[in-house]
Amino acid sequence: MAQEDKPRASPDALLAKAEREGRGRLRVFLGAAPGVGKTYAMLQAARAALADGTDVVVGIVETHGRRETETMVEGLPVLPRRSIPYRGRLVPEFDLDGALARRPKLLLVDEYAHSNVPGSRHPKRWQDVEDLLGAGIDVWTTLNIQHLESLNEVVQRITGVRVRETVPDTAVQEADEVVMVDLPPDELLKRLGEGKVYVQDTAARAIERFFKPTNLTALRELALRRVAARVDCDLLEHMQGGAIDGPWAAGERILVCVGPDASAQKVVREAKRLADLADAPWFAVTVERPGTPLDMAARQNVDAALRLAESLGAETRALVGSDIVDELLRIARFENVTQIVVARARPARLSRPFVRTLADALVREASGIAVHVLTFAEADETVARHRLPPAGRVDGYVAAAMAVAIATLLGEELTKHVALPNVSMIFLLAVLIPALFFGVWPAVFASVLSALAYNFFFIDPVYTFTIARPHEVLALLVFLVIAVLISAVAGRAREQARASAQRVRAGRRLYEFTRKLSALADTSDIAEGAASEIHAILSRAAVVLVAVRAGELAIAAAWPPEDRLDTASLSAARWAFERGEPAGARTGTLPSVPWLFLPLKARQGPIGVIGLEALPNAPLDPESRVLLDTLADQTASALERAALAGEMADVRSAAEAERVRNILLASISHDFRTPLSSILGAASSLIEYGGRIDPEQSRDLLAQIREEADHLDGMVRNLLSMTRLEAGALDLRRDWVDIGEVVNQAVAAARRRGAIQHLVVSLEDDLPLVRADQILLNQVLANVVGNAVRYAGPAATITVAARRAGDSVEVSVTDTGPGVPPALIDHVFEKFVRAASDGTDRADGGEGAGLGLAIAKGIVEAHGGTISAQSPAPGQAQGLRVAFTLPLQPDAGA
Amino acid sequence: MNDLRILVVDDEPAIHRFLTPALSAAGYAVARADDGAGALRAIATHPPDAVLLDLGLPDMDGKEVIARVRQFSRLPIIVLSARDREAEKIEALDLGADDFVNKPFGVGELMARIRAALRQRSGEAHAADAVLRAGPLEIDRPRHRVTRDGQEIKLTPKEFELLVYLARHPGKVLTHRQILGAVWGPAHLEDTQYLRVYVGQLRQRLEAEPATPALILTEPGIGYRMAE
């Protein structure tokens, strides 16, 4: 780590500290062996805490019938256990959900390393504790040193007893406090002799082996060293968190190669030990070659080793590449790895000089990186750099035999006509063809067959397998070697071509997937598309769950269609969603569930979960697993895109609503202000200067007050009508109406309001009466005429005409003003659209009401009529004509 | 007073309709213009003594009218504007308008503003005087002395400068930018916080009741005005 001038708090340390805020605190009572009194010590401390007023609850404590422990439990509140049916009987287990519901301040959970009965939420109790801590509950627990994952091997070596229940080191490293419960070995042995130590029904011999003074001393030392190392670690963290200048951890980074052989887990443990010593981050990596799938046992070895590494705190990577060494070194360089740990199988004695192991290759090629090679005696499988390819199908061998037969016939025929110096060339052709089309083994088969045929048919004495001249033997051997080499090279070339074709296929599938998803805009469409595509690509059922409100998950789509998951699967999905980690089949959480759930992570956090059916007999190969990860990423980003688009649309419509509101407010304030100004001005003039204003002017001022008040009233009416029109609550009071009368009234009102234009009324004779709401009709005409008066200019002529047109009456208002620009003509009936008199925004008036024509349209349509605008007006060079029709036979009942 | 002529510029006939009799009754001669071009023509050919200017004109922005008038004349311009258009008012004042009246307005208020604007023109002759008076204050510029009812008040140089600037324009609205530019210089046109602090201090020292100032009045959102 680079030293800077001023020591800075390491971000990681601060982050770790911050993450602990809000989490419960974990205290581990650590002992070297059973019987040292961990549970007793824990209970003693708990009683003290209870006496201090802490809300302590016993989650689970195994007293094993010991009196002294039982008396310690007395008086402490105990959480009832949950009975889980297992193999026909009920097993009382720790009740995680009960504890989470009870939410004590401090919970005692004995035996950290305990394995839960199958069917519990988590396979291990330490995972339960993880949940409790996450919920903010403080937990005290007990642990024996031999249950610590990384010490498992060591303890086995010391004691000869293999401990099956283990706790990952991280689960202990994260403990806030570790309390060492120590008892000298002699004392412990004495307690054992008195029967005070409960030992699970292990064979007596094993007990004897375990509780030997030498073992106990070694275990005690292990435990003490662990705790001492932890103290160091706490100190270091404190120094980093507090920005104390001091020795920094060396920048070691360790990579462990995980292979399919049985030693994989041992290598992982060794790497963990190295990583701990160097206080280094470490990676466990496995590389699979495309086209050479692992068998069941090998796959399980790899999976188990990777899971172990993960539980020991490693980052794991499953890679796919045709050259394992290249791939390993690429990731090593990328991750800045300084040390590589690899197992080396001891090859069979004979092949030792010829077989190059992975370890050898790494040592040769990893320049600048230290390589630790661990050799295991019992390892019987080799991790060759290039595994032998599969034998191939039968038709490959048939084809090889046919190729050799044809070569033989060809050779026979040719030698009859031409003196061919070396017929063996033709047989090389017979080797090359199966190598290219069927792989290595058929080609090797063809090589041997060719050698035999060549010998039989062409080497003297012909038609026997005996060879007369010694140099012919040499020639035959050379031929065989060349043929086999060609087989190998050509076969490898073919394999690589196949691998790259496979990669191209995978790439294309991914491209297709992305392309399909990108064409979809809706969350449910994307989920549906993703599920069906993933099903098509990986040939397993797929389900997509998406977060709905309040962080709840709901099935958005599944393929084959399915709309429910069982409770266990759902809780696995929820776990994956909440933690952002895979859950379900072949993971550490709820592994019994028949689905593998991957979180769909967006930038702002998880947005859903993808589930893939787990087929018990066909685990997912790493290649598909990598593909699934990529598919999940693509799905997540498509879903995120859809969510963002939805939000954008919401924001846009909210902004539009806001704009409309603002325009409404502005227009109301503007249109109300002028009449208000006039009224206030005229009234205050009369009050202040009434005596000095001549009577005629006084009358005019009073008239102005009345007219402007009228004007205001009209506007209030318009606003109310608009509101009612929008609410669909316009109440038509139909009566027989004389349209001519309405027209005349509107023109008179316009004149009264100071219209200075030339107003012309043109009424057809014998206009029929119309069934309509007269007051609303007045409003329509007042608005349309008012619009013309306002925009046509002082010199214009405004013609208001009414005529019968078929089954309806048409009323039109035509002016000779500037008209409406073509771009606006389609919008004149929309709310708040208001043309400026010269086509540009006016400095002040540009945001006027623009309600008049919209209201006219609403009222006319409520009467079953139509309204339209034309500009320039028909038969004129400019101007605007607004016409509306009212049906003579309105719909019955309207 | 009969010799004073007011030009009313507004495109709403209703405004002219009540302003004309009101102004006549108050003793002014009234001229009328319905748009910006007409206003400019009237001011150029037959300069009135004051202009009442509506900012919303059909042919050009009222602010442009102010800018053009200010190129050749310093006659008082009172802007008629909506109450909610602070930014527009500030712009108009910065361009050189003398005052504003919020629409809708009562005639009494309008007349008071007209009188103040007209008086200010004549008062500007005294702006260069060595001793300024503002209400109970007497400001002796050469000697940097301020007295209130004969009692001396200690001011910092900046406070004094600010007070002099305000007192030189009694009754006139001064925008924040105008005051900041004149007292602190053009680099501080946006530093309104200075102004708030100094005006607060001045009020503490000069006002009888700093909480309800009678000398330095706030025009909310726009600036300050020195009481006449």
Side-chain angles (χ1 to χ4, degrees):
Chain A
M1 209 172 286
Q3 294 283 341
E4 297 188 19
D5 297 350
K6 204 175 148 199
R8 263 197 319 180
S10 145
D12 281 349
L14 287 178
L15 200 66
K17 217 172 187 176
E19 254 176 27
R20 264 179 228 162
E21 314 266 327
R23 259 175 78 87
R25 295 175 63 82
L26 176 64
R27 181 188 285 188
V28 176
F29 291 82
L30 185 70
V36 296
K38 298 174 302 295
T39 305
Y40 189 88
M42 177 171 79
L43 288 168
Q44 205 166 26
R47 293 181 80 88
L50 186 71
D52 284 349
T54 309
D55 177 20
V56 186
V57 169
V58 175
I60 190 159
V61 163
E62 298 292 352
T63 59
H64 302 304
R66 277 169 297 181
R67 285 282 306 281
E68 37 186 300
T69 316
E70 268 167 9
T71 38
M72 291 303 285
V73 178
E74 270 167 32
L76 286 169
V78 178
L79 191 77
R81 298 193 187 186
R82 193 162 75 104
S83 293
I84 296 177
Y86 179 61
R87 290 192 182 159
R89 63 197 182 97
L90 288 177
V91 181
E93 263 290 9
F94 167 58
D95 183 5
L96 176 59
D97 294 317
L100 288 171
R102 166 70 176 75
R103 281 191 93 83
K105 177 80 189 73
L106 173 62
L107 192 72
L108 308 187
V109 182
D110 207 6
E111 292 182 8
Y112 202 27
H114 176 79
S115 293
N116 290 331
V117 171
S120 307
R121 174 153 353 153
H122 299 298
K124 299 285 189 179
R125 183 169 289 164
W126 63 266
Q127 291 167 316
D128 294 346
V129 169
E130 192 66 17
D131 278 6
L132 291 165
L133 296 172
I137 300 170
D138 291 351
V139 177
W140 289 359
T141 188
T142 62
L143 180 73
N144 284 327
I145 193 73
Q146 75 262 29
H147 293 295
L148 210 55
E149 184 74 62
S150 64
L151 293 179
N152 197 280
E153 288 285 310
V154 185
V155 171
Q156 191 188 350
R157 274 208 301 276
I158 294 173
T159 62
V161 177
R162 176 148 185 100
V163 180
R164 304 230 168 261
E165 300 187 323
T166 57
V167 175
D169 289 37
T170 47
V172 178
Q173 270 162 12
E174 277 164 15
D176 299 274
E177 290 163 71
V178 175
V179 177
M180 176 79 195
V181 181
D182 192 27
L183 193 70
D186 298 346
E187 198 82 5
L188 178 57
L189 286 171
K190 205 174 103 198
R191 280 169 57 95
L192 185 71
E194 290 163 2
K196 284 183 178 168
V197 175
Y198 172 81
V199 184
Q200 272 174 327
D201 31 54
T202 332
R205 218 165 60 83
I207 298 174
E208 238 166 66
R209 249 166 56 189
F210 193 88
F211 285 96
K212 275 194 301 202
T214 47
N215 280 355
L216 290 176
T217 309
L219 285 173
R220 187 170 175 229
E221 192 187 329
L222 258 183
L224 287 169
R225 284 231 305 252
R226 258 296 137 147
V227 175
R230 228 199 93 86
V231 171
D232 266 2
C233 191
D234 282 351
L235 186 66
L236 186 65
E237 195 173 293
H238 176 68
M239 283 163 80
Q240 288 179 0
I244 300 164
D245 207 359
W248 248 219
E252 294 289 331
R253 293 166 81 81
I254 294 169
L255 182 149
V256 54
C257 311
V258 173
D261 48 309
S263 63
Q265 299 200 31
K266 292 184 183 160
V267 190
V268 166
R269 288 210 173 85
E270 191 56 32
K272 162 68 178 166
R273 216 178 50 76
L274 280 172
D276 276 359
L277 278 176
D279 194 13
W282 60 299
F283 307 86
V285 177
T286 186
V287 182
E288 186 169 334
R289 304 180 63 209
T292 51
L294 296 173
D295 58 38
M296 261 308 262
R299 157 100 39 247
Q300 275 166 359
N301 266 340
V302 171
D303 283 358
L306 284 183
R307 274 208 301 276
L308 174 71
E310 208 160 49
S311 74
L312 290 176
E315 266 183 53
T316 58
R317 301 275 156 83
L319 304 172
V320 177
S322 59
D323 190 321
I324 296 176
V325 176
D326 273 5
E327 203 60 35
L328 281 174
L329 290 177
R330 197 182 55 74
I331 186 80
R333 301 236 149 83
F334 180 75
E335 292 289 357
N336 251 337
V337 162
T338 55
Q339 303 183 27
I340 295 179
V341 182
V342 63
R344 173 179 151 154
R346 186 173 291 160
R349 196 170 294 269
L350 265 180
S351 64
R352 199 172 296 164
F354 304 111
V355 174
R356 207 155 69 109
T357 62
L358 176 64
D360 297 335
L362 278 174
V363 169
R364 268 169 61 125
E365 292 180 26
S367 59
I369 301 176
V371 179
H372 300 255
V373 180
L374 305 174
T375 312
F376 294 100
E378 68 264 45
D380 46 8
E381 274 179 84
T382 58
V383 191
R385 176 172 181 170
H386 306 299
R387 298 165 127 283
L388 287 178
R393 292 170 303 167
V394 179
D395 48 0
Y397 297 93
V398 175
M402 278 169 65
V404 174
I406 290 167
T408 310
L409 285 176
L410 202 64
E412 284 275 284
E413 280 305 304
L414 281 175
T415 41
K416 273 181 201 161
H417 303 290
V418 211
L420 212 59
N422 204 339
V423 190
S424 59
M425 300 301 275
I426 295 171
F427 284 100
L428 283 185
L429 207 63
V431 172
L432 201 57
I433 288 166
L436 283 178
F437 291 102
F438 299 99
V440 177
W441 291 117
V444 170
F445 175 69
S447 307
V448 175
L449 216 57
S450 295
L452 292 174
Y454 183 46
N455 179 3
F456 192 77
F457 291 104
F458 298 100
I459 296 178
D460 290 332
V462 230
Y463 306 122
T464 62
F465 284 113
T466 46
I467 299 169
R469 282 165 294 186
H471 76 265
E472 296 273 22
V473 177
L474 189 66
L476 189 66
L477 277 177
V478 168
F479 168 81
L480 193 59
V481 168
I482 290 176
V484 169
L485 281 180
I486 285 180
S487 308
V489 169
R492 176 124 183 261
R494 178 182 162 274
E495 199 192 313
Q496 273 170 352
R498 207 177 52 182
S500 68
Q502 209 163 26
R503 261 200 300 278
V504 167
R505 251 197 326 272
R508 185 168 303 140
R509 273 194 308 221
L510 196 58
Y511 168 73
E512 284 291 315
F513 182 76
T514 315
R515 202 176 53 81
K516 270 182 191 155
L517 287 198
S518 69
L520 303 171
D522 183 32
T523 300
S524 62
D525 288 351
I526 290 171
E528 178 106 30
S532 69
E533 285 295 308
I534 290 173
H535 173 260
I537 292 171
L538 297 174
S539 341
R540 286 148 200 262
V543 57
V544 177
L545 294 97
V546 174
V548 290
R549 272 181 303 277
E552 269 299 302
L553 280 179
I555 297 180
W559 203 270
E562 175 62 67
D563 62 355
R564 55 178 58 198
L565 285 174
D566 60 273
T567 325
S569 301
L570 259 182
S571 64
R574 213 168 288 129
W575 200 90
F577 175 72
E578 281 161 8
R579 300 296 180 90
E581 284 166 27
R586 311 182 70 77
T587 68
T589 307
L590 293 168
S592 54
V593 159
W595 295 87
L596 166 65
F597 290 102
L598 296 185
L600 295 172
K601 291 182 194 162
R603 258 159 296 175
Q604 272 124 30
I607 50 173
V609 173
I610 263 187
L612 191 72
E613 185 187 16
L615 304 173
N617 301 319
L620 215 53
D621 56 290
E623 215 171 327
S624 303
R625 187 67 174 64
V626 169
L627 190 60
L628 180 62
D629 280 342
T630 317
L631 295 176
D633 280 352
Q634 293 295 337
T635 310
S637 59
L639 285 173
E640 187 181 27
R641 180 171 49 74
L644 286 179
E647 269 171 42
M648 286 262 285
D650 285 353
V651 166
R652 224 176 291 134
S653 74
E656 177 61 23
E658 180 71 23
R659 194 183 70 87
V660 167
R661 242 195 324 274
N662 285 343
I663 292 173
L664 179 62
L665 277 174
S667 68
I668 290 172
S669 66
H670 175 269
D671 279 20
F672 276 46
R673 195 170 283 126
T674 303
L676 279 173
S677 287
S678 305
I679 294 170
L680 186 60
S684 58
S685 300
L686 286 169
I687 292 166
E688 304 253 338
Y689 303 102
R692 278 185 264 163
I693 297 175
D694 63 61
E696 195 185 330
Q697 279 184 323
S698 290
R699 266 199 305 282
D700 185 60
L701 286 175
L702 289 168
Q704 185 180 11
I705 291 172
R706 194 192 61 202
E707 283 160 27
E708 295 293 347
D710 260 358
H711 187 182
L712 271 180
D713 178 49
M715 280 194 295
V716 170
R717 221 174 23 233
N718 264 350
L719 272 174
L720 285 176
S721 303
M722 196 72 234
T723 320
R724 268 189 298 191
L725 272 172
E726 292 208 320
L730 194 67
D731 187 18
L732 291 188
R733 258 173 270 159
R734 286 188 196 262
D735 199 352
W736 292 110
V737 175
D738 178 359
I739 288 292
E741 187 191 328
V742 174
V743 168
N744 283 321
Q745 275 178 349
V747 170
R751 286 214 178 94
R752 206 171 53 236
R753 288 197 185 145
I756 50 172
Q757 289 89 345
H758 185 43
L759 290 163
V760 181
V761 173
S762 157
L763 297 172
E764 205 177 62
D765 292 336
D766 297 331
L767 271 177
L769 297 180
V770 176
R771 285 284 287 176
D773 185 319
Q774 177 152 13
I775 295 172
L776 291 178
L777 222 48
N778 279 342
Q779 204 177 341
V780 171
L781 214 55
N783 286 351
V784 177
V785 173
N787 185 65
V789 168
R790 196 188 299 213
Y791 293 113
T797 300
I798 298 170
T799 310
V800 185
R803 65 186 182 95
R804 185 174 174 153
D807 287 343
S808 52
V809 170
E810 187 199 62
V811 183
S812 63
V813 177
T814 311
D815 68 53
T816 56
V820 174
L824 265 178
I825 190 77
D826 290 335
H827 301 288
V828 291
F829 294 112
E830 290 171 18
K831 262 192 302 180
F832 309 128
V833 172
R834 186 172 171 187
S837 50
D838 57 353
T840 59
D841 268 6
R842 304 200 312 169
D844 195 307
E847 53 191 17
L851 276 176
L853 290 184
I855 290 164
K857 179 176 157 78
I859 294 173
V860 168
E861 286 177 355
H863 280 90
T866 58
I867 190 165
S868 62
Q870 281 171 285
S871 180
Q876 290 178 203
Q878 53 174 20
L880 172 70
R881 179 177 189 266
V882 176
F884 62 89
T885 62
L886 295 168
L888 293 173
Q889 301 288 326
D891 297 340
Chain B
M1 285 254 274
N2 267 337
D3 48 351
L4 291 175
R5 214 164 58 88
I6 311 278
L7 174 66
V8 181
V9 187
D10 202 315
D11 64 327
E12 294 280 355
I15 302 290
H16 290 292
R17 193 169 162 194
F18 75 83
L19 268 185
T20 307
L23 288 169
S24 307
Y28 299 105
V30 183
R32 165 178 176 166
D34 295 311
D35 52 27
L40 287 171
R41 209 178 312 119
I43 295 166
T45 55
H46 195 26
D49 295 284
V51 178
L52 292 182
L53 177 66
D54 183 54
L55 289 180
L57 296 175
D59 60 338
M60 67 172 81
D61 195 317
K63 295 191 285 293
E64 199 183 327
V65 176
I66 301 172
R68 294 211 199 159
V69 169
R70 281 291 171 253
Q71 286 168 6
F72 61 88
S73 169
R74 296 185 44 73
L75 66 90
I77 299 175
I78 297 169
V79 165
L80 305 178
S81 169
R83 194 182 300 279
D84 53 350
R85 310 194 119 204
E86 255 68 42
E88 194 176 71
K89 274 179 269 188
I90 293 171
E91 259 180 84
L93 291 167
D94 281 342
L95 281 167
D98 292 81
D99 209 338
F100 64 87
V101 177
N102 285 325
K103 269 183 179 181
F105 51 85
V107 168
E109 185 194 357
L110 177 70
M111 296 302 173
R113 293 295 167 82
I114 292 173
R115 279 194 302 273
L118 291 169
R119 201 164 43 236
Q120 221 186 2
R121 279 309 111 148
S122 56
E124 263 180 15
H126 307 288
D129 287 0
V131 178
L132 299 169
R133 265 171 246 283
L137 299 182
E138 198 178 278
I139 305 158
D140 187 335
R141 294 173 70 185
R143 294 169 57 197
H144 265 252
R145 250 173 62 105
V146 181
T147 53
R148 184 193 165 101
D149 301 326
Q151 251 188 322
E152 187 175 341
I153 296 167
K154 287 254 180 261
L155 291 183
T156 67
K158 216 34 144 190
E159 286 167 357
F160 186 79
E161 208 181 323
L162 174 61
L163 178 63
V164 167
Y165 181 73
L166 290 171
R168 273 173 54 206
H169 304 90
K172 183 177 189 287
V173 189
L174 298 166
T175 65
H176 296 135
R177 286 169 63 90
Q178 284 172 334
I179 304 174
L180 285 162
V183 180
W184 276 270
H188 297 282
L189 293 180
E190 309 298 330
D191 296 330
T192 326
Q193 74 278 14
Y194 290 6
L195 202 49
R196 301 230 184 274
V197 170
Y198 274 89
V199 168
Q201 286 172 357
L202 270 184
R203 282 176 176 161
Q204 286 295 333
R205 295 181 190 195
L206 304 177
E207 301 276 4
E209 284 177 69
T212 47
L215 288 169
I216 303 172
L217 309 174
T218 301
E219 286 293 339
I222 294 173
Y224 296 95
R225 183 201 299 270
M226 193 75 181
E228 291 172 70

